[in-house]
Amino acid sequence: MQKTPYHCIFSLLILALFFSSCRPKPVDKNQTFYPIIAVDAMGDTIRLSKPAQRVISLVPAALDALYMLQADSAIVGIPNRIYTDPNVFPYFSKLDPRIKAKLFATPTLTESGMSMETIIKLNPDLVIIQSNQTDAIQMLKELGIPAFGITSQNFGQLNQEVLSLGILLGKAARAKDLIAFTESKIQVLKQKNKGISNKKTIYYSWSGGRIYSTTGRKGLINDCFEMAGLENACPYEIDAPNISPETLIGWNPDIMLLWNTEESVLYQQKELSSLTALKQKKVFNLSPPFLYDPHTLKIVLASIAIHHYSYPGAAANTLSAAQQEILSALYGTEKAKIILE
């Protein structure tokens, strides 16, 4: 049967549609491609078109992580506490001459307050913030500024947050190396703990002489105890309970751990004189706090130090050797040397 002109026209239309479907579609110039994706502590997804190059960290522990990730060139803003806290300023000053000269802007005036005006002026492509500051996070989102909420409630979450920051900063390989190193050290410590037949109990007091504010069986401090081969004297499944002197006497821990508090403060508590830890002088203070900050990957060094003090069977230089090795892996050999000077 001979084809009519209509058949020809129809065939041409089919061919035209076929070839047009094979032709690449024009790119929408207004469409942004996000090859970098990470999820924060709140489960929010942060999307970046390229690695963050202007970063504000409003969290001291996260600022520390940026130096471990070798991403310090991206830092444009830091917490004011870095300048005002005598326990951390000397160490961050060694890590970065810009901190020593106080050249960084500080958008935070207090732990919870911040200046949005300062943040906007710094033109960041990423802000790291405590996850519980929901109003500030929402405001940053409305301004089109990516915000990464951080909380680090346990060791697993700490590792995940370091990895996520590594991804956002184009330092994923470095993040994986850091995590693998600290995990290997924890495994070594766990092997040592297998030889402990009778675990000792330990009680923790928060900083500033808050003897009766402790840590429960959730959180990074409890993770330190477990890694160190100890049992938390506090049985409560909450992060930071307050207790009475009578409760502490009833627990009667083998060891007392203080954070940024002199041991003499505890010995002055006459109502606690019957405690085994005080009678046997098993009270120690993790100092300086910067070296043992459990909200960073230095949690592994804190765990080793707690183990060392609780089960003193190793050579006297074991802890100092661990400090040198771990800090060198986290910050680099030269910076570790400067930190320990």
Side-chain angles (χ1 to χ4, degrees), residues 315-329:
N317 66 345
T318 299
L319 185 56
S320 60
Q323 287 177 345
Q324 185 67 55
E325 180 190 8
I326 291 168
L327 294 177
S328 294

Side-chain angles (χ1 to χ4, degrees), residues 186-199 224-230 303 307 311:
I186 293 300
Q187 290 305 314
V188 171
L189 199 52
K190 286 182 177 179
Q191 286 299 316
K192 288 183 180 180
N193 295 339
K194 287 182 178 180
I196 300 171
S197 58
N198 187 22
K199 280 188 178 181
C224 278
F225 294 163
E226 291 182 354
M227 294 173 189
L230 293 154
S303 301
H307 178 90
Y311 303 106

Side-chain angles (χ1 to χ4, degrees), residues 78-238:
I78 66 174
N80 189 56
R81 179 183 165 190
I82 300 300
Y83 291 150
T84 60
D85 189 339
N87 291 308
V88 298
F89 177 70
Y91 294 95
F92 277 105
S93 295
K94 293 177 180 180
L95 286 174
D96 196 326
R98 295 170 297 177
I99 290 179
K100 184 176 183 180
K102 297 186 177 181
L103 297 178
F104 282 123
T106 56
T108 55
L109 301 176
T110 64
E111 287 295 318
S112 58
M114 67 187 68
S115 167
M116 278 298 168
E117 183 181 357
T118 302
I119 290 175
I120 293 168
K121 285 181 179 178
L122 290 171
N123 190 30
D125 47 23
L126 181 66
V127 174
I128 307 170
I129 185 171
Q130 289 284 2
S131 61
N132 60 359
Q133 294 186 271
T134 53
D135 290 343
I137 291 172
Q138 183 59 36
M139 192 177 298
L140 288 168
K141 288 180 179 179
E142 290 173 359
L143 291 168
I145 301 173
F148 183 86
I150 195 169
T151 183
S152 303
Q153 293 183 343
N154 54 61
F155 184 53
Q157 191 170 45
L158 171 61
N159 283 342
Q160 184 56 52
E161 288 177 346
V162 169
L163 179 57
S164 294
L165 287 175
I167 291 170
L168 293 172
L169 287 151
K171 302 285 185 179
R174 172 65 178 167
K176 290 176 183 177
D177 287 344
L178 290 170
I179 294 168
F181 172 79
T182 53
E183 288 280 7
S184 69
K185 289 301 168 187
I186 293 300
Q187 290 305 314
V188 171
L189 199 52
K190 286 182 177 179
Q191 286 299 316
K192 288 183 180 180
N193 295 339
K194 287 182 178 180
I196 300 171
S197 58
N198 187 22
K199 280 188 178 181
K200 295 181 180 179
T201 58
I202 186 169
Y203 177 85
Y204 172 82
S205 293
W206 292 101
S207 63
R210 292 175 290 167
I211 302 300
Y212 303 110
S213 294
T214 188
T215 186
R217 298 198 174 187
K218 286 185 178 179
L220 287 163
I221 299 296
N222 189 74
D223 286 354
C224 278
F225 294 163
E226 291 182 354
M227 294 173 189
L230 293 154
E231 182 180 350
N232 192 343
C234 175
Y236 303 145
E237 293 289 334
I238 53 178

